[in-house]
Amino acid sequence: MQQHNVLILDFGSQYTQLIARRVRELNIYCEIHPFNKIPNNIDNFKAVILSGSPYSVRSEEAPHPDLSEIRGKKPLLAVCYGAQYLAHFSGGLVAPSNTREYGRANLSFVKDNEAFFKNISTGSQVWMSHSDTIKNLPENGVLLASTHDVENAAYKIEGETTYAIQFHPEVYHSTDGTQLLKNFLVDIAGLEQQWTPNSFVESTVNGLKEKIGDDKVILGLSGGVDSTVAGVLLHKAIGQNLHCIFVNNGLLRKNEYENVLKQYEGMGLNVKGVDASERFLSALDGISDPETKRKTIGRVFIEVFDDEAAKVENAKWLAQGTIYPDVIESVSVNGGPSATIKSHHNVGGLPDFMKLQVVEPLRMIFKDEVRRVGASMGIDKELLGRHPFPGPGLAIRILGDITSEKVRILQEVDAIFIDGLKESGLYNDVWQAGAILLPVNSVGVMGDERTYEKVVALRAVESTDGMTADWVNLPYEFLQKTSNKIINNVKGVNRVVYDISSKPPATIEWE
Ligand code: XMP
């Protein structure tokens, strides 16, 4: 696998991660590294892609990496800024463009029968996003394609395996973008498409075996996708030496603790369930402020986890479900290359489990890849397709102070809503859904009796990463049925409302 790696040098483009996703969709492994930190093991990379950038090559602060180990020595694809960079510093000319070069454009080929454009027809739609333009090609540049507004839309360098494109093949609107990446990586650079979920599992399990040996590892399971997939990978590698801890903070969904624990046991994981509901609820007693709730839950979790971890004698490692977007070092758009900020822990003051060495089996893969890896290991589809659920759980969906009665009410409401979404086939159309218990009572009437009971809100959003979100237009009929079921079945609730706020300006959670 090592000989079939692609290096993506990041110049700070918002699309860099998308390039990586497209390459990986081709079953080719790649890594993103900042332009100013070209990895020492450059020999492991068989091809290099230069990303776009918010900078102009003409500006003083523009990224200016030393490509001497790459240029002319490895197949190189330069995208947008990358293409301008090669032109600007190798005898070409880059200048501000006269027309706005943003959005859709269509390629017309200057040279036919180019391997670079195999299976792509002239007229193919591409996506442009740049304000400078390449006026003159660099030394030995050979024009390959133009668009209506951009003469030098694609070129290659004679005598090298270097290609450059002004457009973004990684975005959805470049309709043949994946084909173009394939042409470059497979046909031109000679990479093999062998990086599959199965090959990832095999190499990761072997790597974990080698790294961990006979040591014991501790892993906190949350019921979420990442920790579960990390757990199954580690279990394959070291079996019973993996000690999993699954904590019930009393703020999980209805029956979640029991069901998920059973599922984990069914997978053969060596898991210890710790029901600390009482401890969490008593620590939260009387707390209404959202941030104080979060801090309290975080603190108690560490105490509970530390107590349990300490019971595993001679543990050497702490496993975590960290995924690639959490570790990609970002290039700062303002103020030059970002400094890596390291926090300095007072090691003596850390909980015992934090003194362990850290192992992160998923640190090089994206969320959708985690799901595919999980599926390839036979993990239950329903578990892999679960909506995200916040660490502090229902605590941040109970506005105001938390009592066990409020938790019970919200669990009942939430279960009716989520089960309803599943039964109606709507669950997978929604990115995240849940119910919120409001700190107000409203007047209602049941039979001949006046009631004065709680109001709940339902929230269902669509999103890709939780950074922005929109409310889902759930069918009225579904909302009607759900509302009736909640009011008729959950004692203490007499009114249901639906949240129709987008993020921004609202957030997904109410607290
Ligand atoms: P917001 O409310 O900020 O939520 O729009 C965005 C995403 O983050 C989740 N979220 C949390 N997850 N601890 C977590 O682990 C938290 O304190 C927390 N707060 C929000 C939220 O569920 C949504 O998916």
Side-chain angles (χ1 to χ4, degrees):
M1 193 179 82
Q2 296 239 310
Q3 277 69 44
H4 293 276
N5 286 356
V6 175
L7 167 64
I8 298 170
L9 277 189
D10 181 29
F11 293 107
S13 163
Q14 57 176 324
Y15 300 133
T16 304
Q17 288 196 24
L18 267 186
I19 302 180
R21 304 274 293 271
R22 294 285 167 269
V23 173
R24 299 233 185 140
E25 278 164 22
L26 290 167
N27 293 336
I28 295 173
Y29 182 73
C30 61
E31 289 179 13
I32 298 174
H33 291 267
F35 70 89
N36 54 342
K37 289 195 185 160
I38 297 179
N40 294 330
N41 59 340
I42 190 81
D43 287 346
N44 282 353
F45 296 95
K46 206 172 173 194
V48 179
I49 299 178
L50 306 181
S51 85
S53 175
Y55 289 101
S56 159
V57 282
R58 297 173 296 106
S59 109
E60 291 262 309
E61 310 91 59
H64 191 165
D66 173 9
L67 298 182
S68 55
E69 289 305 309
I70 295 169
R71 182 80 197 268
K73 296 184 176 158
K74 289 176 190 291
L76 175 65
L77 174 64
V79 174
C80 194
Y81 176 91
Q84 299 185 352
Y85 179 80
L86 294 188
H88 185 70
F89 289 103
S90 307
L93 179 68
V94 175
S97 51
N98 301 327
T99 53
R100 190 169 159 270
E101 290 171 1
Y102 184 83
R104 292 176 179 81
N106 298 92
L107 286 181
S108 65
F109 300 151
V110 175
K111 266 174 80 79
D112 281 333
N113 297 325
E114 265 297 322
F116 192 54
F117 290 124
K118 189 176 112 182
N119 294 335
I120 301 175
S121 309
T122 197
S124 174
Q125 178 182 293
V126 294
W127 186 259
M128 293 285 185
S129 176
H130 57 112
S131 49
D132 279 356
T133 201
I134 301 167
K135 296 274 187 207
N136 299 332
L137 294 182
E139 239 171 80
N140 301 326
V142 178
L143 185 62
L144 299 180
S146 305
T147 66
H148 184 269
D149 293 321
V150 180
E151 188 192 350
N152 296 314
Y155 65 88
K156 66 177 180 182
I157 306 278
E158 199 66 57
E160 294 178 17
T161 326
T162 299
Y163 290 78
I165 47 182
Q166 183 59 77
F167 52 90
H168 290 270
E170 66 275 19
V171 305
Y172 169 77
H173 294 95
S174 289
T175 43
D176 294 307
T178 306
Q179 177 68 47
L180 187 107
L181 289 170
K182 183 177 175 205
N183 292 345
F184 171 71
L185 293 172
V186 179
D187 292 5
I188 295 171
L191 285 146
E192 282 172 29
Q193 294 172 281
Q194 57 182 214
W195 191 74
T196 60
N198 285 335
S199 73
F200 173 82
V201 171
E202 197 186 318
S203 63
T204 304
V205 168
N206 288 339
L208 288 170
K209 275 184 187 160
E210 204 171 300
K211 185 171 185 169
I212 297 169
D214 292 329
D215 292 349
K216 288 185 189 168
V217 178
I218 294 171
L219 167 69
L221 291 171
S222 69
V225 177
D226 301 342
S227 65
T228 305
V229 174
V232 175
L233 274 168
L234 280 154
H235 176 73
K236 271 182 177 292
I238 60 165
Q240 298 299 300
N241 272 347
L242 173 68
H243 292 255
C244 303
I245 298 170
F246 179 39
V247 176
N248 183 10
N249 59 12
L251 300 155
L252 303 176
R253 296 195 137 115
K254 186 181 173 186
N255 298 332
E256 171 114 336
Y257 174 64
E258 296 77 10
N259 292 343
V260 173
L261 189 57
K262 242 187 246 152
Q263 227 172 343
Y264 283 145
E265 286 164 352
M267 292 175 191
L269 294 177
N270 174 11
V271 57
K272 167 119 187 252
V274 184
D275 189 353
S277 309
E278 294 297 326
R279 194 159 160 186
F280 280 90
L281 286 181
S282 74
L284 285 166
D285 189 33
I287 297 176
S288 300
D289 174 64
E291 286 316 301
T292 316
K293 282 182 189 175
R294 283 186 167 85
K295 283 195 185 119
T296 306
I297 292 167
R299 174 178 55 77
V300 177
F301 181 83
I302 287 180
E303 288 168 10
V304 172
F305 195 82
D306 197 26
D307 288 352
E308 287 308 317
K311 292 179 193 162
V312 182
E313 278 174 26
N314 288 325
K316 293 271 178 0
W317 300 84
L318 176 71
Q320 289 181 336
T322 317
I323 63 172
Y324 200 31
D326 304 331
V327 295
I328 296 173
E329 222 182 303
S330 59
V331 171
S332 157
V333 186
N334 309 308
S338 61
T340 321
I341 300 160
K342 291 236 159 70
S343 48
H344 295 273
H345 296 295
N346 170 4
V347 175
L350 287 174
D352 284 345
F353 70 85
M354 289 183 84
K355 294 175 192 156
L356 303 170
Q357 294 184 75
V358 172
V359 56
E360 298 169 317
L362 309 177
R363 65 177 277 121
M364 295 314 284
I365 60 174
F366 291 105
K367 188 89 185 180
D368 52 324
E369 294 168 340
V370 174
R371 291 205 168 92
R372 273 187 279 146
V373 164
S376 83
M377 294 190 294
I379 298 178
D380 180 44
K381 264 203 196 108
E382 207 173 306
L383 201 159
L384 292 174
R386 295 176 116 201
H387 291 169
F389 188 69
L394 300 181
I396 55 170
R397 294 181 182 170
I398 294 172
L399 273 52
D401 70 323
I402 297 162
T403 63
S404 51
E405 174 62 3
K406 289 182 186 174
V407 173
R408 182 200 65 81
I409 292 178
L410 190 57
Q411 281 178 334
E412 297 294 334
V413 173
D414 178 81
I416 291 174
F417 183 34
I418 299 296
D419 290 347
L421 286 171
K422 287 181 181 162
E423 282 157 21
S424 314
L426 293 163
Y427 186 83
N428 292 331
D429 300 338
V430 171
W431 188 77
Q432 187 175 24
I436 300 100
L437 185 67
L438 306 189
V440 286
N441 281 27
S442 87
V443 173
V445 53
M446 268 191 188
D448 288 336
E449 301 227 347
R450 178 184 178 278
T451 59
Y452 188 57
E453 293 176 330
K454 288 272 174 269
V455 182
V456 291
L458 304 182
R459 181 116 168 99
V461 296
E462 47 194 23
S463 176
T464 49
D465 51 11
M467 303 296 283
T468 60
D470 207 354
W471 58 280
V472 179
N473 206 335
L474 290 175
Y476 279 168
E477 203 187 320
F478 170 79
L479 290 171
Q480 187 183 35
K481 242 169 74 182
T482 308
S483 160
N484 282 343
K485 201 163 177 187
I486 291 170
I487 294 172
N488 289 334
N489 289 286
V490 185
K491 200 165 163 281
V493 174
N494 69 358
R495 194 173 296 266
V496 177
V497 297
Y498 187 52
D499 183 348
I500 52 167
S501 326
S502 63
K503 173 185 181 176
T507 48
I508 296 175
E509 304 294 347
W510 281 42
E511 281 196 339

